[in-house]
Each structure stands twice: as structure tokens, then as C-alpha cells.
Amino acid sequence: MSTDFPPFIVAIPARYGSTRLPAKPLREIAGVPMVVRVAQRALLAGAGQVVVAVDDQRIADALAGQGVDVCMTRSDHASGSDRLAECATHYGWPDDAIVVNLQGDEPFAPAAGIREVARALAEDDAPVATLATPISEAHELFDPNVVKLVRMASGRALYFSRAPLPWARDAFALHRNVLPADVPFLRHIGIYAYRAGFLKRYTQLARTPLEQAESLEQLRVLEHGFPIAVRLTPEPFPPGIDTQADLERAEQWLAGG
């Protein structure tokens, strides 16, 4: 794999309200607000511009002096993608600009992974790209909180699901505690790269039945007939931060515990 990468923007949606972890972007990990750690990962990856899309002045204040742009967005957006589409309009990004959507609860996202999803989009004419990693444990495959995907031979996504996918019929007829080695089980990693023009278009697309059934926003792209390029991540993505327990684990991980 080449070591160079295309110019790209990283946009980080950071909403103040969170049901499971109130004021999540400002929660500290080893004394540093989570949103600051995410922004630092984006800068480390070599993004030409890093924008944090916020809905609360307190988040903007925490980012002062970090070398990133802060875009104050409406508080009523339904999703992070909608928030980033407002940023795309605000900054006037060209339609062909590559925008990486890095979630605001990914403080340990590897720089190589951020670059790889940008490269995946640059090397494909799909309007969206994302990453995946192999699944080797049966409990992961059968966990509905782990999003699975299957790909075409071209590397584009066929489908995303919370269900076990693909279904290894013969192997699972015998047992389901060990995965057959010859089946490409993949876990989706929730980082996306969009062309800025499509990011604005996507938010105008009607929600779709499969998207709503699975509660997976990326299915709206596929159901409307647009391809999604998928690459394997070059480095593992540590779990994101959703709960107080996740925060505590992150503290221990940083401390080497």
C-alpha cells in the first residue's frame, strides 16, 4: 500500500446532549476532554482541515487553541451526517472534496485508519467509503451491537446488518461457538468518507425501510442505489466511548493497566 494519501478534511460531529453519557464531548480522559482527544487524532492523521461541528458553546470553548475550526450548528439535527452537511454548506467545500466523518466519541482512532478511509474514497468513484475488520470470535458475530457487513468482489458493500452475516449454513448446523475459517466475516467500523457534494445530497434522501428496521443509517445509501467502498482497516480501532464504564476503561488503558 502506498504511503501517500489524498488531501482530505476531517469533520467531527460533537453534540452536547447524550442519553447514556451527559456532556459526553467534555468528559475528560486523563484530564483531557474527549472532543479534544478526537481533534488531536484528526490532526495527527494529516487532515488539511479539521472541523468540529458543535451545538453548544461549552464544547467550542474546550477546543480553543487546538488548531481546529469550530462550526456552530443547529441543535435539532437528527444525525451527525446532517450536522456535517450544514458544515459543508457553511464552508463551501467543493463537491469533490473528501470529508472524513470521525465520530466525536473515538478518542483513540488510529491515524492510519483515518487516512485509509480517505484513500479508499479517492481510489473509487463511489460517493461514500468506510472501513471494516475481520471477525474471529463467534460471540462478536452473534452480538447485535456489532454491525456486520458483506462485500462484493470489487470491495464495495453488499449489505450491513446487526444479524450474523453471512450465514455459514453447514458449519452453523453443527455448532455456533467456533467460526469457520474460510468465511469472510467482517465487523463494520463506523468511520466514513464522503464526497462533500454527496454529503449534502444524502441528508435530502428519504429514510428507508431497511435503515429503520436495522437502525443503521448507512443502509439509506445502499437502498437509494449508491455504492459504498469498503477497505480493511490497517490498524485496530479501539472501542468508542458510550458509557461511564467505557470512560473508566479508557483511563485504565491510557495508564497501561
Side-chain angles (χ1 to χ4, degrees):
M1 186 175 67
S2 62
T3 55
D4 59 333
F5 52 90
F8 65 95
I9 299 159
V10 171
I12 302 164
R15 186 172 63 92
Y16 186 82
S18 172
T19 305
R20 287 185 287 181
L21 197 60
K24 182 159 70 167
L26 301 182
R27 300 298 286 267
E28 294 188 351
I29 302 172
V32 179
M34 189 185 323
V35 69
V36 172
R37 287 191 176 275
V38 177
Q40 289 171 343
R41 304 306 293 181
L43 290 168
L44 187 64
Q49 181 183 16
V50 177
V51 176
V52 186
V54 307
D55 65 351
D56 191 288
Q57 187 60 42
R58 287 167 287 190
I59 306 174
D61 292 343
L63 289 159
Q66 293 297 324
V68 301
D69 294 329
V70 176
C71 183
M72 187 63 68
T73 57
R74 300 198 328 254
S75 60
D76 60 347
H77 284 305
S79 71
S81 302
D82 293 302
R83 200 170 300 285
L84 299 193
E86 183 180 343
C87 287
T89 300
H90 174 79
Y91 288 102
W93 291 331
D95 283 351
D96 61 351
I98 294 174
V99 181
V100 175
N101 179 352
L102 178 61
Q103 297 302 315
D105 56 7
E106 295 274 2
F108 308 122
I114 298 170
R115 289 192 291 267
E116 184 63 16
V117 77
R119 183 184 289 112
L121 190 66
E123 294 178 354
D124 196 299
D125 60 5
V128 184
T130 193
L131 298 180
T133 193
I135 293 174
S136 57
E137 300 292 334
H139 69 84
E140 243 192 313
L141 185 74
F142 289 93
D143 182 349
N145 295 310
V146 173
V147 178
K148 279 70 64 173
L149 68 92
V150 288
R151 299 192 294 176
M152 293 185 254
S154 66
R156 288 179 168 182
L158 273 170
Y159 192 63
F160 298 81
S161 182
R162 297 184 183 278
L165 195 74
W167 187 258
R169 186 194 66 172
D170 294 344
F172 290 157
L174 298 174
H175 57 75
R176 298 179 187 177
N177 57 343
V178 178
L179 298 181
D182 57 344
V183 181
F185 298 110
L186 293 174
R187 174 171 70 86
H188 180 226
I189 294 171
I191 184 171
Y192 297 93
Y194 301 92
R195 299 190 193 280
F198 183 77
L199 181 60
K200 291 179 280 190
R201 181 178 182 180
Y202 167 77
T203 59
Q204 305 304 313
L205 297 174
R207 294 189 68 195
T208 52
L210 293 175
E211 172 197 6
Q212 294 180 76
E214 296 254 21
S215 192
L216 294 175
E217 204 177 312
Q218 63 269 38
L219 289 175
R220 189 188 315 176
V221 178
L222 296 182
E223 284 186 87
H224 280 284
F226 298 99
I228 299 176
V230 182
R231 291 276 188 89
L232 296 182
T233 181
E235 291 183 24
F237 272 67
I241 310 294
D242 284 319
T243 65
Q244 183 63 37
D246 292 339
L247 264 181
E248 292 164 6
R249 276 193 293 271
E251 293 264 6
Q252 291 170 358
W253 183 76
L254 275 179

